[in-house]
Amino acid sequence: QVQLVESGGGLVQAGGSLRLSCAASGRTFSNYGMGWFRQAPGKEREFVASITWGGGMTYYADSVKGRFTIFRDSAANTVYLQMNSLKPEDTAVYYCLQTKNTYTNILPRPGPPPGAYWGQGTQVTVSS
């Protein structure tokens, strides 16, 4: 059974940093693409960042390029999202995703990939 458990969210002032973690279990972690989506109040879920199953490529939404970094540690079965220079508009619930099928990736498209597994979400609040 696939489980994705996020942690690291919280309240931070604008300009500050947070690191989100997503611990995955239930399958061979290195065989699946990983990513982060977010959902702000009253808005649809949106793509934030993703990393390929091999870890060789990363993708970012334009709104976070240069500020956020996604990386994965296969030994720890964990994907991270380092968030720097946070802005109030980054306030949202952040969700970790894992692709449904092996050797597939989450691409920077508006909607999430069909059948992907989701974590429960972690709240990030950036105060001005």
Side-chain angles (χ1 to χ4, degrees):
Q1 182 179 357
V2 175
Q3 277 197 315
L4 303 172
V5 180
E6 299 105 332
S7 60
L11 173 64
V12 64
Q13 288 189 330
S17 298
L18 283 174
R19 177 177 290 186
L20 305 183
S21 301
C22 172
S25 61
R27 307 194 290 182
T28 303
F29 177 75
S30 58
N31 291 348
Y32 299 90
M34 301 294 297
W36 293 89
F37 273 64
R38 67 186 181 186
Q39 186 168 23
K43 295 187 177 181
E44 293 187 353
R45 290 183 181 182
E46 63 174 1
F47 172 85
V48 177
S50 64
I51 185 166
T52 55
W53 60 269
M57 291 191 70
T58 56
Y59 302 94
Y60 297 94
D62 288 343
S63 58
V64 307
K65 277 181 184 175
R67 300 188 298 122
F68 290 11
T69 303
I70 186 172
F71 57 101
R72 63 192 297 163
D73 182 348
S74 291
N77 291 344
T78 300
V79 64
Y80 302 91
L81 185 67
Q82 177 67 42
M83 305 186 295
N84 299 328
S85 302
L86 282 161
K87 304 175 181 180
E89 50 264 43
D90 294 318
T91 295
V93 177
Y94 284 71
Y95 296 91
C96 172
L97 277 74
Q98 185 179 72
T99 55
K100 176 182 180 182
N101 299 317
T102 54
Y103 311 121
T104 58
N105 298 307
I106 298 168
L107 299 178
R109 295 170 179 163
Y117 292 94
W118 292 73
Q120 82 285 356
T122 186
Q123 176 71 47
V124 171
T125 303
V126 184
S127 62
S128 57

